[in-house]
Amino acid sequence: MATAERLVIVGGDAAGMAAASQARRLKKPEELAITAFERSHFTSYSACGIPYWVGGQVDGPDALVARTAKEHRARDIDLRMRTEVTELDLDRGRVRSRELDDGGRETWTGFDKLVLATGATPKRPPLPGIDAPGVHGVQTLDDGQALLDTLEKSAGRRAVVVGAGYIGVEMAEALIHRGYEVTVLEQADQPMSTLDPDMGALVHEAMCRMGIETVLGATVTGVLTDEEGRARAVTTEDGEYPADVVVLGLGVRPETTLAEAAGLPLGESGGLLTDLAMRVRGHETVWAGGDCVEVLDLVSGRTRHIALGTHANKHGQVIGANVAGGYATFPGVVGTAVSKVCDLEIARTGLLESQAHAAGLRFVTVTVEATSRAGYYPGTRPMTVKMLAERRTGRLLGVQIVGREGAGKRVDIAAVALTAGMTVERMTALDLGYAPPFSPVWDPVLVAARKATGAVRAAGG
Amino acid sequence: MATAERLVIVGGDAAGMAAASQARRLKKPEELAITAFERSHFTSYSACGIPYWVGGQVDGPDALVARTAKEHRARDIDLRMRTEVTELDLDRGRVRSRELDDGGRETWTGFDKLVLATGATPKRPPLPGIDAPGVHGVQTLDDGQALLDTLEKSAGRRAVVVGAGYIGVEMAEALIHRGYEVTVLEQADQPMSTLDPDMGALVHEAMCRMGIETVLGATVTGVLTDEEGRARAVTTEDGEYPADVVVLGLGVRPETTLAEAAGLPLGESGGLLTDLAMRVRGHETVWAGGDCVEVLDLVSGRTRHIALGTHANKHGQVIGANVAGGYATFPGVVGTAVSKVCDLEIARTGLLESQAHAAGLRFVTVTVEATSRAGYYPGTRPMTVKMLAERRTGRLLGVQIVGREGAGKRVDIAAVALTAGMTVERMTALDLGYAPPFSPVWDPVLVAARKATGAVRAAGG
């Protein structure tokens, strides 16, 4: 009998374990031996769920785990928890790992095929006091638990969130749910730099109305600590913000330290570069997926780093099929994201104005106000839709939506249209679901498409 | 100065008045004189809103009127209310009309260009008692007002709805809101013949749980009347159903009596046939749109009759541009519809199994259960998604969704994918909005697409 092929997976969250599961579905243990390394206490968890766990809307951490280590092992996956891979030796086809809880024992494990799913690392500027107790990132379930421990122990009720991107605004909501007074410090002139400034301004206004103090143009200079060394305030160039707890929501960068040391190809953001089958470029036996890779942006034609669980799961699925000798590809993304802060829904897909410029595109923009349901139907809510379309061709380039209930997921209409390379004029005739409780006669996205069609014509060549 | 061109529009609801408004936007009164005839008391109204008006969730009838006769006249549209066009004389370029309230005075009006927007007529089988007081269609605002008058006067609280299609189930909900005991009589074996039987069965179960008595396989034979001639019961081949009010929800047929008499081309359903610019086939100066035409179904490649306000508005927009010398087309539909009965959301797009067979297609079907949000997020609700995909090519052919909050509008994802001719495999990688309050990591539509991809592969050629 032939020896089983050896698959080694570095990272046991969404991408890594989706790859393991899919590969196991296609290959028996005697055909493919799967070993996976995870340095945290959890596998296959929803990091995106952490704000809702912290906010108390969701139980945790177990509810956030899609599949436990035990469940993976029951499917003949040799999963090594609390074990960190410390070196990739591609020449000899082996990885070195260290057990984090058992005295740091080191082992070499050989592979025929390697999957890198090392995820991302929260950005943490090297400022005085930034590593003090009471300053929390929210990337892993371990991080979430640590933050909750701090909230339990804390007597005060003042929170400072650094960064007003997706994680920042979601954590602001979570802390409000916990009864905190929340101040958000953002270096840029608007919250949500994933939106154009005019749309970000709508989010800013709404956050103010919700009682979230949002300080824009705030350059954080450090964290002040008390006598016990715990965080007590965040300082900026302009002032000092008292804090019983500090949450860092500055976004993440790809965690590719190992890959870089092994000489694997990285993009501008530091993410691994792969082909369409999620194989690391130039390396026949190495695949990579999830938050540690750059993905192809189908609208700009460039690779970008986008850390999102839904992509990580899809990557894992594709990698699992390919390492098991099947065939699947991940064609790329269009840059869709949706989020909420309290009852405000925020969504985008495609390119912002700045991104469209950078991609060398000429375009028109339009902004419309519309409603989620027929104007006369109870519970109809206003929303603002901004749309970018290419000049001359009229091709859709991007959509941003800020509104209330029923606003966010409308971005999917544009996401599919972008994927199909549709023009805004063709979009105006889209046959979308219409009934008064669900939509006005003209869906808000189509109202924007109509206006964009006119703008494209008016702009000429 | 040249004389203004004369545009005559027959029918003053969505399609007709959208055409008038768009034409007026593009041409001044001295360039284009617009005369529109409407036989009812209302213009530009939302017939789709009638169930919610009857149910008391929405004020009416004024709130359902998007633009009043007065507003249209203020924009230099010569609108003749309560005036019915009784003959089209295409050879001499004129229409005959009769005033319904003023002694029936008849007039001939000449045109250079003609728009037919005569709408649809509710189906009303020629059964004994079907025209008795207390038996109501719900097609126009006048119908809605008549039904409300009956409900006001009625002492009893028993309602029978004939037909369990969209209108039937929406009216069932409305009458429940009014405190009626509702019985729905449906000739077919399932409610919602716009769904496949297996999906219709889910609607049936849900209606039963809501306390709506739904009698399937019921062939209505007539309406019994009391001494005053008012409806008191509906009879079927199997029994008698007492009724203080009877609502007919049997669907509609295109109202093309005038067009037929004038020799204009009609399709299988009796709807007018047009080209892509909404011009009546073979007639240079006649356009038609809204509920009186057949539209091209882009998935089956055939024309079909689909009475829906959202299409009517789009037709009007296209016609208005073209009659004013501009250029626009209506490329066709994919058969999207969404509805609700109480908290049950029902949606479809593309082809049913029966329609795919009739179109000559070979296909696979899959059905999945999924949730509207991340499984752990509060308020997540289950839904069932059925998907049809073409064998060999894997092209998406249709989607049906039955679920609760968050189910219905997900059909838009599939509607856009159908429009683009996407395969189910390509759909699995769609970059849809993901965050726990909005969606699971795999959107329900993508879960179905994954399963359909497997089914296409398994089916081979």
Side-chain angles (χ1 to χ4, degrees):
Chain A
M1 197 183 106
T3 318
E5 232 185 356
R6 297 162 305 162
L7 172 63
V8 161
I9 297 174
V10 184
D13 193 10
M17 297 320 289
S21 301
Q22 178 68 0
R24 177 54 75 232
R25 216 168 283 139
L26 299 172
K27 290 283 185 195
K28 295 175 196 148
E30 54 271 29
E31 300 170 312
L32 185 72
I34 307 178
T35 307
F37 296 92
E38 167 58 37
R39 66 181 175 186
S40 84
H41 293 87
F42 300 96
T43 53
S44 305
Y45 59 89
S46 169
C48 333
I50 295 172
Y52 311 101
W53 174 30
V54 172
Q57 298 119 295
V58 162
D59 287 336
D62 294 344
L64 299 182
V65 173
R67 197 171 272 170
T68 63
K70 198 177 159 189
E71 289 168 317
H72 285 299
R73 288 187 187 123
R75 306 187 67 217
D76 289 308
I77 294 163
D78 178 8
L79 178 58
R80 319 265 177 95
M81 296 301 296
R82 293 292 289 153
T83 306
E84 182 168 21
V85 171
T86 53
E87 189 183 340
L88 311 177
D89 180 353
L90 299 180
D91 292 336
R92 299 179 64 180
R94 58 183 194 163
V95 304
R96 185 169 59 182
S97 62
R98 189 176 64 222
E99 293 176 24
L100 298 178
D101 290 334
D102 290 321
R105 194 161 61 93
E106 291 202 331
T107 317
W108 283 99
T109 306
F111 64 81
D112 301 303
K113 292 174 174 173
L114 177 67
V115 172
L116 298 176
T118 44
T121 306
K123 289 179 189 162
R124 193 179 265 258
L127 296 173
I130 197 90
D131 292 319
V135 181
H136 293 271
V138 282
Q139 170 75 357
T140 65
L141 293 190
D142 291 339
D143 293 341
Q145 190 60 64
L147 172 57
L148 280 164
D149 292 345
T150 292
L151 298 180
E152 292 270 296
K153 279 180 285 188
S154 152
R157 277 287 172 270
R158 290 168 309 182
V160 170
V161 175
V162 181
Y166 288 113
I167 301 172
V169 300
E170 287 171 2
M171 289 310 302
E173 175 184 337
L175 292 161
I176 280 177
H177 279 291
R178 286 271 167 192
Y180 278 74
E181 271 180 49
V182 180
T183 301
V184 180
L185 304 177
E186 168 61 46
Q187 188 157 24
D189 292 335
Q190 295 298 346
M192 299 305 293
S193 60
T194 49
L195 300 181
D196 281 332
D198 51 343
M199 297 297 279
L202 300 179
V203 177
H204 186 207
E205 286 163 25
M207 286 173 73
C208 292
R209 283 196 299 271
M210 289 167 196
I212 301 172
E213 189 189 357
T214 309
V215 185
L216 301 171
T219 303
V220 171
T221 50
V223 176
L224 302 179
T225 53
D226 61 16
E227 292 138 17
E228 293 164 14
R230 295 188 56 81
R232 65 169 180 83
V234 177
T235 57
T236 70
E237 286 179 351
D238 302 311
E240 185 178 318
Y241 298 88
D244 300 297
V245 61
V246 179
V247 174
L248 301 179
L250 292 165
V252 296
R253 54 176 179 73
E255 176 48 69
T256 49
T257 317
L258 291 175
E260 189 175 15
L264 293 174
L266 305 181
E268 276 176 38
S269 73
L272 277 154
L273 296 175
T274 74
D275 64 15
L276 294 171
M278 302 308 294
R279 194 189 321 240
V280 174
R281 292 190 194 168
H283 291 261
E284 279 295 303
T285 58
V286 186
W287 284 260
D291 291 359
C292 67
V293 305
E294 291 193 358
V295 288
L296 177 62
D297 179 328
L298 295 167
V299 191
S300 71
R302 291 187 184 183
T303 60
R304 286 169 61 190
H305 181 242
I306 300 179
L308 210 48
T310 188
H311 298 332
N313 269 280
K314 292 183 178 104
H315 294 169
Q317 199 83 16
V318 167
I319 292 170
N322 290 326
V323 295
Y327 173 63
T329 60
F330 182 80
V333 303
V334 293
T336 312
V338 59
S339 187
K340 70 189 260 306
V341 48
C342 300
D343 71 339
L344 190 77
E345 300 189 358
I346 308 160
R348 59 153 289 171
T349 189
L351 304 180
L352 305 182
E353 292 198 38
S354 55
Q355 294 170 324
H357 275 300
L361 295 163
R362 291 180 67 190
F363 57 91
V364 298
T365 70
V366 297
T367 303
V368 301
E369 305 289 327
T371 59
S372 58
R373 310 173 184 215
Y376 54 79
Y377 195 85
T380 190
R381 304 300 305 270
M383 70 181 79
T384 305
V385 182
K386 178 170 182 174
M387 186 173 279
L388 277 68
E390 190 178 23
R391 288 180 71 151
R392 276 199 222 171
T393 68
R395 182 169 57 106
L396 177 69
L397 295 179
V399 165
Q400 297 161 60
I401 307 176
V402 174
R404 307 284 162 161
E405 194 208 335
K409 276 293 264 180
R410 274 195 159 84
V411 80
D412 286 348
I413 298 163
V416 186
L418 271 173
T419 305
M422 217 170 259
T423 65
V424 290
E425 182 159 5
R426 179 61 186 88
M427 286 179 75
T428 61
L430 279 173
D431 183 5
L432 304 179
Y434 163 64
F438 296 95
S439 176
V441 159
W442 290 92
D443 191 278
V445 174
L446 301 195
V447 175
R450 270 170 69 180
K451 191 167 177 186
T453 302
V456 169
R457 282 193 198 152
Chain B
M1 197 182 104
T3 319
E5 230 183 357
R6 297 163 305 162
L7 172 63
V8 163
I9 297 174
V10 185
D13 194 10
M17 296 321 289
S21 299
Q22 179 68 2
R24 178 52 73 231
R25 216 167 285 139
L26 300 171
K27 290 282 185 196
K28 295 176 196 147
E30 54 270 32
E31 300 169 312
L32 184 73
I34 306 178
T35 308
F37 297 92
E38 167 58 37
R39 65 182 175 185
S40 83
H41 294 88
F42 300 96
T43 53
S44 306
Y45 59 87
S46 170
C48 333
I50 294 172
Y52 312 100
W53 174 30
V54 172
Q57 296 119 294
V58 161
D59 286 337
D62 294 344
L64 299 182
V65 174
R67 197 171 272 169
T68 63
K70 196 175 162 191
E71 290 168 318
H72 285 299
R73 287 186 187 123
R75 306 186 67 219
D76 289 307
I77 294 164
D78 178 9
L79 177 58
R80 317 266 178 95
M81 296 302 294
R82 295 290 290 151
T83 307
E84 182 168 22
V85 171
T86 54
E87 189 184 341
L88 311 178
D89 181 350
L90 299 180
D91 292 337
R92 299 179 63 181
R94 58 182 194 163
V95 303
R96 186 170 60 182
S97 62
R98 189 175 65 224
E99 293 176 24
L100 297 178
D101 291 333
D102 291 322
R105 192 161 62 93
E106 292 200 332
T107 317
W108 284 100
T109 307
F111 63 81
D112 302 302
K113 292 173 175 173
L114 177 66
V115 173
L116 299 177
T118 45
T121 306
K123 289 179 188 161
R124 194 177 265 256
L127 296 172
I130 198 89
D131 293 320
V135 180
H136 293 271
V138 282
Q139 171 74 0
T140 65
L141 292 189
D142 290 339
D143 293 340
Q145 190 60 64
L147 171 57
L148 280 164
D149 291 345
T150 291
L151 297 180
E152 293 269 298
K153 279 180 285 187
S154 154
R157 277 286 174 272
R158 289 166 311 181
V160 170
V161 176
V162 181
Y166 288 112
I167 301 171
V169 301
E170 287 170 2
M171 288 310 301
E173 174 183 335
L175 291 161
I176 280 178
H177 279 292
R178 285 271 168 193
Y180 278 74
E181 272 178 50
V182 180
T183 301
V184 180
L185 304 177
E186 167 61 45
Q187 189 156 23
D189 293 335
Q190 295 298 347
M192 301 302 295
S193 61
T194 48
L195 300 181
D196 281 332
D198 52 341
M199 297 297 281
L202 300 179
V203 177
H204 186 208
E205 285 162 27
M207 287 173 73
C208 291
R209 283 195 299 270
M210 289 167 196
I212 301 172
E213 189 188 357
T214 310
V215 185
L216 301 172
T219 303
V220 171
T221 51
V223 176
L224 302 180
T225 52
D226 62 15
E227 291 139 18
E228 293 166 13
R230 295 186 56 81
R232 66 169 179 83
V234 178
T235 57
T236 70
E237 285 179 351
D238 302 310
E240 187 179 315
Y241 298 87
D244 300 298
V245 61
V246 179
V247 174
L248 300 179
L250 291 166
V252 297
R253 55 177 178 72
E255 176 48 69
T256 49
T257 317
L258 291 175
E260 189 175 15
L264 294 174
L266 305 182
E268 275 176 38
S269 72
L272 278 154
L273 296 174
T274 74
D275 63 14
L276 294 171
M278 302 308 294
R279 194 188 321 237
V280 173
R281 292 188 194 170
H283 291 262
E284 279 295 303
T285 57
V286 186
W287 285 259
D291 291 358
C292 68
V293 305
E294 291 192 0
V295 288
L296 178 61
D297 179 328
L298 295 167
V299 191
S300 71
R302 292 184 183 186
T303 59
R304 287 169 62 189
H305 180 241
I306 300 178
L308 209 48
T310 188
H311 299 331
N313 269 282
K314 292 182 178 106
H315 294 170
Q317 199 84 16
V318 167
I319 292 170
N322 290 325
V323 296
Y327 173 64
T329 60
F330 182 79
V333 303
V334 292
T336 311
V338 59
S339 185
K340 73 188 258 304
V341 46
C342 300
D343 70 340
L344 190 77
E345 300 189 358
I346 306 160
R348 59 152 291 169
T349 188
L351 304 180
L352 305 183
E353 291 197 38
S354 55
Q355 293 171 324
H357 275 300
L361 295 164
R362 292 180 68 193
F363 57 93
V364 297
T365 69
V366 296
T367 303
V368 301
E369 305 287 328
T371 59
S372 58
R373 310 173 184 213
Y376 54 79
Y377 195 86
T380 191
R381 303 300 305 268
M383 71 181 79
T384 304
V385 182
K386 179 171 180 173
M387 186 174 278
L388 278 68
E390 192 178 20
R391 287 179 72 152
R392 277 198 223 173
T393 69
R395 184 169 57 104
L396 178 69
L397 294 179
V399 164
Q400 297 162 58
I401 307 176
V402 174
R404 308 283 162 161
E405 194 209 335
K409 274 295 262 181
R410 274 196 158 84
V411 79
D412 287 348
I413 298 163
V416 186
L418 271 171
T419 305
M422 219 171 260
T423 65
V424 290
E425 183 160 4
R426 180 62 186 86
M427 287 178 76
T428 60
L430 279 173
D431 184 4
L432 304 178
Y434 163 64
F438 296 95
S439 175
V441 159
W442 290 93
D443 190 278
V445 174
L446 301 196
V447 175
R450 270 171 70 181
K451 191 168 177 186
T453 301
V456 169
R457 282 192 198 153

